[in-house]
Short mmCIF file of all heavy atoms in Angstrom, two decimals:
data_model
loop_
_atom_site.label_atom_id
_atom_site.label_comp_id
_atom_site.label_asym_id
_atom_site.label_seq_id
_atom_site.Cartn_x
_atom_site.Cartn_y
_atom_site.Cartn_z
N THR A 1 0.84 -1.21 0.01
CA THR A 1 0.00 0.01 0.00
C THR A 1 0.86 1.25 -0.01
O THR A 1 0.61 2.21 -0.75
CB THR A 1 -0.93 0.01 1.21
OG1 THR A 1 -1.72 -1.20 1.19
CG2 THR A 1 -1.84 1.19 1.22
N VAL A 2 1.89 1.27 0.81
CA VAL A 2 2.81 2.41 0.84
C VAL A 2 3.58 2.54 -0.48
O VAL A 2 3.76 3.63 -0.99
CB VAL A 2 3.75 2.32 2.07
CG1 VAL A 2 4.83 3.39 2.03
CG2 VAL A 2 2.96 2.41 3.36
N LEU A 3 4.02 1.39 -1.03
CA LEU A 3 4.66 1.39 -2.34
C LEU A 3 3.74 1.99 -3.39
O LEU A 3 4.21 2.75 -4.24
CB LEU A 3 5.09 -0.03 -2.73
CG LEU A 3 5.63 -0.20 -4.14
CD1 LEU A 3 7.01 0.45 -4.21
CD2 LEU A 3 5.69 -1.65 -4.51
N SER A 4 2.48 1.64 -3.32
CA SER A 4 1.51 2.16 -4.27
C SER A 4 1.42 3.66 -4.17
O SER A 4 1.42 4.39 -5.21
CB SER A 4 0.17 1.54 -4.05
OG SER A 4 -0.82 2.13 -4.83
N ALA A 5 1.35 4.21 -2.97
CA ALA A 5 1.26 5.65 -2.80
C ALA A 5 2.50 6.36 -3.27
O ALA A 5 2.41 7.39 -3.95
CB ALA A 5 1.03 5.97 -1.31
N VAL A 6 3.67 5.77 -3.01
CA VAL A 6 4.92 6.40 -3.47
C VAL A 6 5.02 6.35 -5.00
O VAL A 6 5.44 7.31 -5.63
CB VAL A 6 6.12 5.71 -2.79
CG1 VAL A 6 7.44 6.14 -3.43
CG2 VAL A 6 6.12 6.03 -1.30
N ALA A 7 4.65 5.23 -5.58
CA ALA A 7 4.70 5.11 -7.08
C ALA A 7 3.76 6.10 -7.74
O ALA A 7 4.11 6.72 -8.72
CB ALA A 7 4.36 3.68 -7.48
N ILE A 8 2.56 6.29 -7.19
CA ILE A 8 1.64 7.22 -7.77
C ILE A 8 2.12 8.67 -7.59
O ILE A 8 2.02 9.47 -8.49
CB ILE A 8 0.23 7.00 -7.17
CG1 ILE A 8 -0.35 5.69 -7.72
CG2 ILE A 8 -0.69 8.15 -7.50
CD1 ILE A 8 -1.67 5.29 -7.15
N HIS A 9 2.69 8.96 -6.43
CA HIS A 9 3.27 10.29 -6.23
C HIS A 9 4.40 10.55 -7.22
O HIS A 9 4.50 11.64 -7.82
CB HIS A 9 3.80 10.43 -4.80
CG HIS A 9 4.52 11.70 -4.57
ND1 HIS A 9 3.92 12.92 -4.46
CD2 HIS A 9 5.86 11.96 -4.44
CE1 HIS A 9 4.81 13.85 -4.27
NE2 HIS A 9 6.01 13.31 -4.29
N ALA A 10 5.29 9.57 -7.42
CA ALA A 10 6.39 9.73 -8.35
C ALA A 10 5.89 9.87 -9.78
O ALA A 10 6.46 10.61 -10.59
CB ALA A 10 7.35 8.56 -8.23
N SER A 11 4.84 9.15 -10.11
CA SER A 11 4.34 9.23 -11.49
C SER A 11 3.71 10.61 -11.75
O SER A 11 3.84 11.13 -12.85
CB SER A 11 3.30 8.14 -11.74
OG SER A 11 2.05 8.42 -11.13
N VAL A 12 3.08 11.17 -10.75
CA VAL A 12 2.48 12.49 -10.95
C VAL A 12 3.53 13.61 -10.92
O VAL A 12 3.50 14.55 -11.69
CB VAL A 12 1.38 12.74 -9.89
CG1 VAL A 12 0.91 14.17 -9.92
CG2 VAL A 12 0.22 11.77 -10.09
N ARG A 13 4.48 13.48 -10.02
CA ARG A 13 5.44 14.57 -9.79
C ARG A 13 6.61 14.58 -10.75
O ARG A 13 7.02 15.64 -11.21
CB ARG A 13 5.96 14.43 -8.34
CG ARG A 13 6.97 15.41 -7.95
CD ARG A 13 6.36 16.63 -7.34
NE ARG A 13 7.44 17.46 -6.82
CZ ARG A 13 7.35 18.75 -6.79
NH1 ARG A 13 6.23 19.35 -7.15
NH2 ARG A 13 8.32 19.47 -6.34
N TYR A 14 7.20 13.40 -11.02
CA TYR A 14 8.49 13.40 -11.71
C TYR A 14 8.47 12.77 -13.09
O TYR A 14 9.28 13.10 -13.95
CB TYR A 14 9.51 12.65 -10.86
CG TYR A 14 9.79 13.33 -9.54
CD1 TYR A 14 9.40 12.73 -8.39
CD2 TYR A 14 10.39 14.56 -9.52
CE1 TYR A 14 9.62 13.38 -7.17
CE2 TYR A 14 10.64 15.20 -8.32
CZ TYR A 14 10.25 14.60 -7.14
OH TYR A 14 10.48 15.22 -5.98
N ALA A 15 7.62 11.80 -13.34
CA ALA A 15 7.69 11.03 -14.58
C ALA A 15 7.00 11.72 -15.72
O ALA A 15 6.12 12.58 -15.55
CB ALA A 15 7.10 9.63 -14.36
N THR A 16 7.37 11.32 -16.92
CA THR A 16 6.72 11.79 -18.13
C THR A 16 6.41 10.64 -19.06
O THR A 16 7.11 9.62 -19.04
CB THR A 16 7.60 12.80 -18.89
OG1 THR A 16 8.82 12.14 -19.23
CG2 THR A 16 7.88 14.04 -18.08
N ASP A 17 5.35 10.78 -19.83
CA ASP A 17 4.92 9.83 -20.87
C ASP A 17 4.91 8.39 -20.42
O ASP A 17 4.11 8.01 -19.61
CB ASP A 17 5.81 10.01 -22.12
CG ASP A 17 5.64 11.37 -22.74
OD1 ASP A 17 4.56 11.97 -22.59
OD2 ASP A 17 6.59 11.83 -23.39
N ARG A 18 5.79 7.60 -21.02
CA ARG A 18 5.78 6.14 -20.76
C ARG A 18 6.06 5.79 -19.31
O ARG A 18 5.46 4.89 -18.74
CB ARG A 18 6.84 5.52 -21.64
CG ARG A 18 6.45 4.21 -22.22
CD ARG A 18 7.55 3.77 -23.11
NE ARG A 18 6.98 2.91 -24.14
CZ ARG A 18 7.68 2.29 -25.00
NH1 ARG A 18 8.99 2.45 -25.03
NH2 ARG A 18 7.10 1.56 -25.90
N ARG A 19 7.02 6.46 -18.74
CA ARG A 19 7.37 6.17 -17.34
C ARG A 19 6.23 6.51 -16.40
O ARG A 19 5.96 5.86 -15.41
CB ARG A 19 8.64 6.97 -16.96
CG ARG A 19 9.13 6.59 -15.57
CD ARG A 19 10.44 7.19 -15.30
NE ARG A 19 11.48 6.43 -16.01
CZ ARG A 19 12.71 6.84 -16.16
NH1 ARG A 19 13.08 8.00 -15.69
NH2 ARG A 19 13.57 6.09 -16.81
N ARG A 20 5.49 7.61 -16.72
CA ARG A 20 4.33 7.97 -15.90
C ARG A 20 3.26 6.87 -15.93
O ARG A 20 2.72 6.52 -14.92
CB ARG A 20 3.72 9.30 -16.42
CG ARG A 20 2.45 9.68 -15.68
CD ARG A 20 2.01 11.05 -16.06
NE ARG A 20 2.92 12.01 -15.41
CZ ARG A 20 2.84 13.28 -15.53
NH1 ARG A 20 1.87 13.82 -16.25
NH2 ARG A 20 3.69 14.07 -14.92
N ARG A 21 2.96 6.40 -17.12
CA ARG A 21 2.00 5.31 -17.22
C ARG A 21 2.48 4.04 -16.49
O ARG A 21 1.70 3.37 -15.85
CB ARG A 21 1.69 4.98 -18.69
CG ARG A 21 0.86 6.02 -19.32
CD ARG A 21 0.40 5.55 -20.69
NE ARG A 21 1.55 5.40 -21.60
CZ ARG A 21 1.85 6.23 -22.59
NH1 ARG A 21 1.07 7.25 -22.85
NH2 ARG A 21 2.89 6.03 -23.35
N GLY A 22 3.78 3.73 -16.62
CA GLY A 22 4.33 2.56 -15.95
C GLY A 22 4.24 2.66 -14.44
O GLY A 22 3.89 1.71 -13.74
N LEU A 23 4.61 3.85 -13.91
CA LEU A 23 4.57 4.02 -12.47
C LEU A 23 3.14 4.01 -11.95
O LEU A 23 2.86 3.49 -10.88
CB LEU A 23 5.28 5.30 -12.07
CG LEU A 23 6.78 5.27 -12.04
CD1 LEU A 23 7.34 6.65 -11.82
CD2 LEU A 23 7.26 4.32 -10.96
N ALA A 24 2.23 4.60 -12.70
CA ALA A 24 0.82 4.59 -12.30
C ALA A 24 0.27 3.19 -12.32
O ALA A 24 -0.46 2.77 -11.41
CB ALA A 24 0.00 5.51 -13.19
N LEU A 25 0.64 2.42 -13.33
CA LEU A 25 0.23 1.04 -13.40
C LEU A 25 0.81 0.22 -12.25
O LEU A 25 0.11 -0.60 -11.65
CB LEU A 25 0.61 0.42 -14.75
CG LEU A 25 0.20 -1.03 -14.99
CD1 LEU A 25 -1.33 -1.11 -15.01
CD2 LEU A 25 0.79 -1.54 -16.27
N LEU A 26 2.09 0.45 -11.94
CA LEU A 26 2.69 -0.22 -10.80
C LEU A 26 1.97 0.11 -9.53
O LEU A 26 1.71 -0.78 -8.68
CB LEU A 26 4.18 0.16 -10.67
CG LEU A 26 4.90 -0.33 -9.43
CD1 LEU A 26 5.12 -1.82 -9.50
CD2 LEU A 26 6.20 0.41 -9.24
N GLY A 27 1.61 1.35 -9.36
CA GLY A 27 0.85 1.78 -8.15
C GLY A 27 -0.48 1.11 -8.04
O GLY A 27 -0.88 0.64 -6.99
N LEU A 28 -1.22 1.07 -9.14
CA LEU A 28 -2.55 0.46 -9.12
C LEU A 28 -2.46 -1.06 -8.91
O LEU A 28 -3.25 -1.65 -8.17
CB LEU A 28 -3.31 0.76 -10.41
CG LEU A 28 -3.69 2.22 -10.56
CD1 LEU A 28 -4.32 2.47 -11.91
CD2 LEU A 28 -4.64 2.64 -9.44
N LEU A 29 -1.48 -1.71 -9.57
CA LEU A 29 -1.33 -3.16 -9.37
C LEU A 29 -0.91 -3.50 -7.96
O LEU A 29 -1.44 -4.46 -7.37
CB LEU A 29 -0.31 -3.70 -10.40
CG LEU A 29 -0.79 -3.83 -11.82
CD1 LEU A 29 0.36 -4.26 -12.69
CD2 LEU A 29 -1.94 -4.78 -11.93
N SER A 30 0.00 -2.73 -7.39
CA SER A 30 0.43 -3.04 -6.04
C SER A 30 -0.72 -2.78 -5.03
O SER A 30 -0.86 -3.51 -4.04
CB SER A 30 1.68 -2.25 -5.65
OG SER A 30 1.44 -0.89 -5.69
N LEU A 31 -1.54 -1.80 -5.31
CA LEU A 31 -2.68 -1.55 -4.42
C LEU A 31 -3.70 -2.70 -4.54
O LEU A 31 -4.25 -3.13 -3.53
CB LEU A 31 -3.35 -0.23 -4.79
CG LEU A 31 -4.41 0.27 -3.84
CD1 LEU A 31 -3.81 0.53 -2.48
CD2 LEU A 31 -5.01 1.57 -4.37
N GLY A 32 -3.89 -3.21 -5.75
CA GLY A 32 -4.80 -4.37 -5.89
C GLY A 32 -4.26 -5.60 -5.20
O GLY A 32 -5.07 -6.32 -4.54
N VAL A 33 -2.99 -5.85 -5.28
CA VAL A 33 -2.42 -7.04 -4.61
C VAL A 33 -2.46 -6.80 -3.09
O VAL A 33 -2.69 -7.74 -2.33
CB VAL A 33 -0.97 -7.30 -5.09
CG1 VAL A 33 -0.28 -8.34 -4.27
CG2 VAL A 33 -0.98 -7.66 -6.56
N ALA A 34 -2.27 -5.55 -2.64
CA ALA A 34 -2.37 -5.27 -1.23
C ALA A 34 -3.78 -5.54 -0.70
O ALA A 34 -3.96 -6.06 0.38
CB ALA A 34 -2.01 -3.81 -0.96
N PHE A 35 -4.79 -5.22 -1.51
CA PHE A 35 -6.16 -5.53 -1.10
C PHE A 35 -6.40 -7.01 -1.01
O PHE A 35 -7.14 -7.50 -0.19
CB PHE A 35 -7.20 -4.88 -2.05
CG PHE A 35 -7.28 -3.39 -1.89
CD1 PHE A 35 -7.64 -2.60 -2.97
CD2 PHE A 35 -7.04 -2.76 -0.68
CE1 PHE A 35 -7.78 -1.24 -2.86
CE2 PHE A 35 -7.13 -1.41 -0.54
CZ PHE A 35 -7.51 -0.64 -1.64
N TYR A 36 -5.74 -7.80 -1.89
CA TYR A 36 -5.88 -9.23 -1.86
C TYR A 36 -5.27 -9.77 -0.53
O TYR A 36 -5.87 -10.60 0.13
CB TYR A 36 -5.15 -9.88 -3.05
CG TYR A 36 -5.12 -11.36 -2.96
CD1 TYR A 36 -6.27 -12.10 -3.26
CD2 TYR A 36 -3.98 -12.05 -2.59
CE1 TYR A 36 -6.26 -13.48 -3.18
CE2 TYR A 36 -3.98 -13.43 -2.51
CZ TYR A 36 -5.10 -14.15 -2.81
OH TYR A 36 -5.09 -15.49 -2.72
N PHE A 37 -4.11 -9.30 -0.15
CA PHE A 37 -3.49 -9.75 1.10
C PHE A 37 -4.15 -9.09 2.30
O PHE A 37 -3.91 -9.52 3.45
CB PHE A 37 -1.99 -9.44 1.10
CG PHE A 37 -1.17 -10.36 0.26
CD1 PHE A 37 -0.45 -9.87 -0.81
CD2 PHE A 37 -1.13 -11.71 0.53
CE1 PHE A 37 0.30 -10.71 -1.58
CE2 PHE A 37 -0.38 -12.56 -0.24
CZ PHE A 37 0.34 -12.05 -1.32
N GLY A 38 -4.94 -8.06 2.09
CA GLY A 38 -5.59 -7.36 3.20
C GLY A 38 -6.63 -8.18 3.91
O GLY A 38 -7.14 -7.80 4.94
N ARG A 39 -7.00 -9.34 3.38
CA ARG A 39 -7.95 -10.21 4.07
C ARG A 39 -7.44 -10.63 5.43
O ARG A 39 -8.20 -11.00 6.31
CB ARG A 39 -8.24 -11.45 3.23
CG ARG A 39 -8.95 -11.12 1.97
CD ARG A 39 -9.23 -12.36 1.18
NE ARG A 39 -9.82 -12.00 -0.11
CZ ARG A 39 -10.06 -12.83 -1.07
NH1 ARG A 39 -9.81 -14.11 -0.91
NH2 ARG A 39 -10.58 -12.41 -2.21
N ALA A 40 -6.10 -10.64 5.58
CA ALA A 40 -5.52 -11.01 6.88
C ALA A 40 -5.80 -9.98 7.96
O ALA A 40 -5.60 -10.21 9.14
CB ALA A 40 -4.02 -11.17 6.72
N LEU A 41 -6.31 -8.82 7.58
CA LEU A 41 -6.61 -7.77 8.52
C LEU A 41 -8.02 -7.91 9.12
O LEU A 41 -8.54 -6.95 9.72
CB LEU A 41 -6.47 -6.39 7.88
CG LEU A 41 -5.04 -5.99 7.50
CD1 LEU A 41 -5.03 -4.80 6.61
CD2 LEU A 41 -4.24 -5.73 8.77
N GLY A 42 -8.66 -9.04 8.92
CA GLY A 42 -9.96 -9.28 9.53
C GLY A 42 -11.09 -9.43 8.54
O GLY A 42 -12.23 -9.20 8.88
N GLY A 43 -10.77 -9.80 7.32
CA GLY A 43 -11.81 -9.94 6.28
C GLY A 43 -11.61 -8.93 5.19
O GLY A 43 -10.77 -8.01 5.28
N PHE A 44 -12.35 -9.10 4.11
CA PHE A 44 -12.11 -8.22 2.96
C PHE A 44 -12.45 -6.78 3.27
O PHE A 44 -11.63 -5.87 3.03
CB PHE A 44 -12.93 -8.69 1.76
CG PHE A 44 -12.73 -7.79 0.56
CD1 PHE A 44 -11.60 -7.90 -0.20
CD2 PHE A 44 -13.68 -6.85 0.21
CE1 PHE A 44 -11.39 -7.07 -1.29
CE2 PHE A 44 -13.50 -6.02 -0.87
CZ PHE A 44 -12.36 -6.14 -1.62
N TRP A 45 -13.63 -6.48 3.77
CA TRP A 45 -14.02 -5.09 3.93
C TRP A 45 -13.23 -4.37 5.02
O TRP A 45 -12.86 -3.22 4.85
CB TRP A 45 -15.53 -4.98 4.21
CG TRP A 45 -16.27 -5.27 2.95
CD1 TRP A 45 -17.04 -6.36 2.70
CD2 TRP A 45 -16.31 -4.49 1.74
NE1 TRP A 45 -17.53 -6.33 1.43
CE2 TRP A 45 -17.11 -5.18 0.82
CE3 TRP A 45 -15.74 -3.32 1.34
CZ2 TRP A 45 -17.35 -4.72 -0.47
CZ3 TRP A 45 -15.95 -2.84 0.06
CH2 TRP A 45 -16.76 -3.53 -0.80
N SER A 46 -12.99 -5.03 6.12
CA SER A 46 -12.18 -4.36 7.17
C SER A 46 -10.75 -4.17 6.69
O SER A 46 -10.15 -3.11 6.94
CB SER A 46 -12.22 -5.16 8.45
OG SER A 46 -11.70 -6.43 8.24
#
């Protein structure tokens, strides 16, 4: 989750064109995987 936030911040602040899309995609994918592992926090919604 923290990696996702940092990647999205870097994509907005520093990257251009292809690198921006790549960092944004990395951020979204890592957030999705974090939500998958987040079930250990007491279920999906919590």
Side-chain angles (χ1 to χ4, degrees):
T1 304
V2 172
L3 173 71
S4 172
V6 169
I8 289 175
H9 173 75
S11 74
V12 170
R13 177 92 173 149
Y14 297 112
T16 58
D17 296 333
R18 217 176 209 186
R19 186 171 284 167
R20 176 173 286 181
R21 286 189 296 253
L23 282 172
L25 182 65
L26 172 71
L28 292 175
L29 286 175
S30 62
L31 190 61
V33 173
F35 287 151
Y36 174 77
F37 284 118
R39 293 180 186 175
L41 292 168
F44 179 77
W45 288 110
S46 60

